[in-house]
Amino acid sequence: MTGKNKDKPWSRIIILAASLTGFILALYFMHRIGFHNIFSAVASIGVEGFLLFCFFSVIVLLLLGAAWFSVTPNQSLRKMPLFSWGRTIREAASEILPFSQIGGIILGARTLTGAGLPFQLVYASMIVDMTAEMASQLIFTLFGVGTISFYYFGGGKAMSIQPLSYAGLGVIVVILLLFILFQRPILNVAGSLAEKIVPGAGDNIRDVSNKMTEIYHQPMKLLASFTFNMLAWVVGASSAWVALRFMGVQVSLTAVLTIESLIFALRSAAFIVPGAIGLQEGAYILMAPLFGLTGAEMIALSLLKRARDISIGVPALLLWQINESRRLL
């Protein structure tokens, strides 16, 4: 077997297959509900409603940038927009490009290192921020599961969704624990392998680990990152409520926060599928009747989210590409 065959990009094939399967699932759900019903619901939001929906996402990106900035030592406040720009590129790549979330993370980090921030500082702060982000998501998911359980034990119709909500919570817990327990061993292994390929690269990896230790010994920075990330989850979920209200759908904010907390958990669990395409739509349809919503309204919300991601992500990625080209030149 040749080296070329050994290096066959199986990961890309898996991501492509998952994306194609999700796209087919999304089309199937839309066909079952009715394209006319869905697009009528999408159109009902209006231009003003969609612009406000996008504005909420800008606030979320600013909060995520502030969370990352909070755990990055010795940075002046005027650099905080750079971190929000890095998160914008990370989210855009994860949602629009045929990457998994890992690809988006790499591009987000590249945005900061390309702007002159040290490699060790960027990756150390990013790993710590991701830990705080997952911890805040765990709390947000607990809220959703708790609400579902209340409906269930109160004699509601939540029995059909409760196992899925528990599964989502379990996945978040497992991912968080694995991420905390293995982030340092993985860095050590990566450093050893890198040293064999590129002399001196192992030192950079060890510097990342040392910088992480420094950040973890500053609890106020961790608390700030956790708080900003929690606000981002809540504001992001609230934007869905705003979109539904502009569509003329009467639903409580608590119900939407519950739905979105479980959708976010599903998207984290399905990180291998870009944008959780198909899975997000299926979960929305499953949860819609529980809160008195229709499948058309939920699929319309899902499509609006994807339209918003494209409206923000495509210009951001184009600007990023222009900047990268200038650096290379």
Side-chain angles (χ1 to χ4, degrees):
M1 181 180 292
T2 65
K4 184 177 180 180
N5 290 331
K6 288 181 180 179
D7 295 334
K8 192 172 183 179
W10 289 107
S11 60
R12 296 180 183 178
I13 295 175
I14 292 172
I15 292 174
L16 179 61
S19 301
L20 181 60
T21 302
F23 182 71
I24 293 173
L25 275 175
L27 287 178
Y28 170 75
F29 292 138
M30 293 172 68
H31 174 71
R32 288 290 301 270
I33 292 173
F35 290 98
H36 175 73
N37 295 331
I38 294 170
F39 290 119
S40 295
V42 169
S44 65
I45 192 175
V47 175
E48 298 86 354
F50 183 71
L51 290 176
L52 183 60
F53 189 40
C54 293
F55 177 72
F56 268 81
S57 292
V58 173
I59 295 176
V60 170
L61 292 170
L62 292 174
L63 288 169
L64 292 174
W68 190 358
F69 173 82
S70 297
V71 291
T72 309
N74 306 319
Q75 297 300 308
S76 63
L77 189 61
R78 64 174 179 267
K79 285 188 177 181
M80 189 165 68
L82 176 62
F83 288 82
S84 293
W85 177 241
R87 279 308 302 251
T88 300
I89 298 303
R90 170 177 159 183
E91 299 301 319
S94 299
E95 297 296 333
I96 298 175
L97 299 179
F99 298 156
S100 66
Q101 292 186 32
I102 296 174
I105 289 170
I106 294 172
L107 288 190
R110 166 63 186 167
T111 302
L112 267 64
T113 57
L117 271 68
F119 168 91
Q120 300 88 339
L121 184 66
V122 170
Y123 278 89
S125 61
M126 181 179 65
I127 292 171
V128 175
D129 175 54
M130 288 173 64
T131 304
E133 182 180 5
M134 285 188 285
S136 63
Q137 184 179 11
L138 175 61
I139 302 301
F140 193 45
T141 305
L142 279 171
F143 163 79
V145 172
T147 305
I148 289 290
S149 297
F150 174 79
Y151 274 97
Y152 173 63
F153 291 119
K157 299 180 291 183
M159 184 170 59
S160 61
I161 197 66
Q162 194 183 36
L164 181 62
S165 65
Y166 285 151
L169 176 62
V171 169
I172 294 298
V173 171
V174 170
I175 291 175
L176 177 59
L177 289 176
L178 290 176
F179 191 79
I180 292 174
L181 292 174
F182 290 101
Q183 55 186 233
R184 291 186 185 280
I186 289 175
L187 277 175
N188 292 334
V189 172
S192 299
L193 293 175
E195 188 67 38
K196 295 178 180 179
I197 300 173
V198 181
D203 292 336
N204 289 332
I205 301 297
R206 283 187 287 273
D207 287 342
V208 170
S209 182
N210 293 334
K211 185 63 69 174
M212 284 168 50
T213 300
E214 175 187 336
I215 298 172
Y216 277 129
H217 280 88
Q218 302 180 58
M220 294 308 297
K221 288 185 175 292
L222 292 172
L223 179 60
S225 180
F226 174 88
T227 302
F228 281 123
N229 276 304
M230 178 60 75
L231 287 172
W233 290 119
V234 174
V235 172
S238 300
S239 69
W241 179 75
V242 171
L244 288 170
R245 296 287 291 188
F246 270 89
M247 290 164 56
V249 179
Q250 301 298 318
V251 61
S252 70
L253 178 59
T254 301
V256 176
L257 289 176
T258 300
I259 293 171
E260 291 298 292
S261 69
L262 300 179
I263 291 294
F264 290 152
L266 170 69
R267 289 175 62 90
S268 296
F271 63 90
I272 193 66
V273 183
I277 186 170
L279 300 177
Q280 175 175 286
E281 286 74 16
Y284 269 134
I285 292 173
L286 186 61
M287 286 188 281
L290 180 62
F291 298 95
L293 300 167
T294 66
E297 292 165 346
M298 288 289 92
I299 293 294
L301 176 61
S302 183
L303 291 180
L304 284 170
K305 283 185 173 184
R306 301 196 185 283
R308 172 204 62 194
D309 293 339
I310 292 173
S311 299
I312 296 175
V314 169
L317 288 173
L318 287 175
L319 286 174
W320 180 84
Q321 186 62 57
I322 291 171
N323 289 332
E324 285 294 302
S325 299
R326 287 176 176 172
R327 289 196 191 103
L328 292 175
L329 291 174

